[in-house]
Amino acid sequence: MVEQGGWLLMGDSITENHFFSLSCLLYPHVRATPNYTENPYFDRAWPQKLYLSPTSPLIPELDFPPNFSIENTPLVLFRRVDLLLNQGDLETIYQNSFRTEAEDEDPTATNATTKSLFSEETTWSLSPSEYMPILLSSPPESNFGTLVVSTGGHWTTTLMNALRDEEAGEEAGYGIENVKAFFKVAMRTWAGQVQDAIDEYRRNGGTRPKQVVVRAYLPGHEDCHNHREPWGEIQPYEFRWYNWPWIKDYNAIFKVCATTYSVSCTHFTLEC
């Protein structure tokens, strides 16, 4: 992470657990911030970081890049980003898609306004325009080589209630197909924005390796506490909580979006 670039982790609590695991695996060679015991009112939007510990015995063996600061240059940064795009980005995509569909159905329609995509349900997210500069900047501010992302669990009909269809019923996820269709459009937009940022970095003379790893999202299961060993195969769901039964569909959609951009470049990798 010092010599080849650190990891910029963007995702929800699933990715946050990845961050916690890294802090344990890399201890005692890293120090973590913030200190939770000093601030029990931690806001999930705040950044969490791993730095190289100044007492690590590995330091004499490392080849530090120019301007790298043991004190100030993070090896790993996690930001809570549930949707990979912020709500303003997604609202624009939704409204534009709605207008296009409305005009296709009725070219004489003049009122293209519609209700907001989102409910009042809490979510945390950022736009690529906010976190791609972090990936692409240089020490001492940052030294990242890999953007690791994962999303899926918050793409629900309760958060995006403009897409909810009560008549579809529980078995059909109250319109979860609408959310999956929107997810496909949104992830294509996301992948394009990320690729454009990396291309611009290259055009401006950036030479350090940069890659994007899309991690498959992990679903929950309503009966997980009653299982004491790994499954040999995926067990069926009794209920239709959140969007858990459809997580595999989100992963498949994201794989197609990432693979589309991998045809012309090597920046995107899907980790399943």
Side-chain angles (χ1 to χ4, degrees):
M1 290 182 175
V2 171
E3 298 176 352
Q4 299 181 18
W7 294 2
L8 179 59
L9 307 181
M10 295 286 151
D12 59 21
S13 59
I14 298 294
T15 301
E16 187 174 24
N17 288 333
H18 183 195
F19 174 84
F20 293 151
S21 296
L22 281 173
S23 68
C24 295
L25 289 169
L26 297 176
Y27 180 82
H29 301 290
V30 297
R31 61 181 179 88
T33 63
N35 187 330
Y36 291 101
T37 60
E38 294 178 352
N39 184 1
Y41 305 105
F42 181 76
D43 189 306
R44 297 183 192 182
W46 294 350
Q48 302 177 62
K49 302 176 182 179
L50 298 180
Y51 294 91
L52 181 64
S53 172
T55 62
S56 171
L58 297 177
I59 289 178
E61 309 298 325
L62 296 174
D63 183 13
F64 289 91
N67 301 317
F68 187 98
S69 167
I70 293 176
E71 180 179 1
N72 298 314
T73 306
L75 301 179
V76 181
L77 167 61
F78 166 73
R79 294 298 304 270
R80 176 70 185 259
V81 183
D82 294 341
L83 307 170
L84 299 188
L85 296 147
N86 67 26
Q87 287 181 293
D89 296 333
L90 293 169
E91 194 72 64
T92 297
I93 295 171
Y94 168 67
Q95 297 292 350
N96 288 344
S97 298
F98 178 88
R99 280 195 290 270
T100 300
E101 292 175 3
E103 291 170 358
D104 287 344
E105 293 176 3
D106 183 4
T108 65
T110 58
N111 183 11
T113 60
T114 186
K115 67 177 183 178
S116 172
L117 170 64
F118 294 98
S119 67
E120 296 300 316
E121 185 174 305
T122 301
T123 188
W124 291 263
S125 216
L126 297 170
S127 170
S129 64
E130 297 173 273
Y131 54 80
M132 286 305 293
I134 301 174
L135 174 70
L136 302 174
S137 62
S138 301
E141 288 79 13
S142 66
N143 181 49
F144 298 114
T146 302
L147 172 64
V148 183
V149 302
S150 183
T151 190
H154 291 265
W155 292 79
T156 65
T157 59
T158 53
L159 176 61
M160 301 176 183
N161 68 341
L163 301 174
R164 187 176 178 87
D165 182 1
E166 293 289 345
E167 294 182 358
E170 181 181 13
E171 190 66 25
Y174 295 105
I176 197 68
E177 292 298 325
N178 298 332
V179 181
K180 288 194 292 182
F182 182 65
F183 179 78
K184 183 176 182 179
V185 175
M187 290 304 97
R188 283 176 175 170
T189 301
W190 173 85
Q193 291 181 6
V194 170
Q195 184 66 67
D196 288 347
I198 294 176
D199 290 345
E200 182 68 17
Y201 168 77
R202 297 284 181 233
R203 285 194 294 269
N204 291 335
T207 59
R208 300 202 69 190
K210 303 293 179 182
Q211 65 174 341
V212 180
V213 175
V214 178
R215 297 190 75 208
Y217 197 85
L218 301 176
H221 195 278
E222 67 263 14
D223 198 31
C224 62
H225 294 290
N226 293 325
H227 292 270
R228 297 294 182 265
E229 61 184 17
W231 290 345
E233 57 184 26
I234 296 175
Q235 302 299 307
Y237 286 86
E238 180 180 353
F239 305 105
R240 294 291 185 266
W241 292 352
Y242 309 108
N243 64 355
W244 291 353
W246 298 278
I247 290 297
K248 66 182 187 323
D249 299 335
Y250 287 96
N251 288 334
I253 291 168
F254 210 161
K255 181 177 182 178
V256 171
C257 293
T259 303
T260 298
Y261 280 84
S262 296
V263 170
S264 58
C265 69
T266 58
H267 299 319
F268 286 90
T269 303
L270 184 77
E271 179 187 281
C272 295

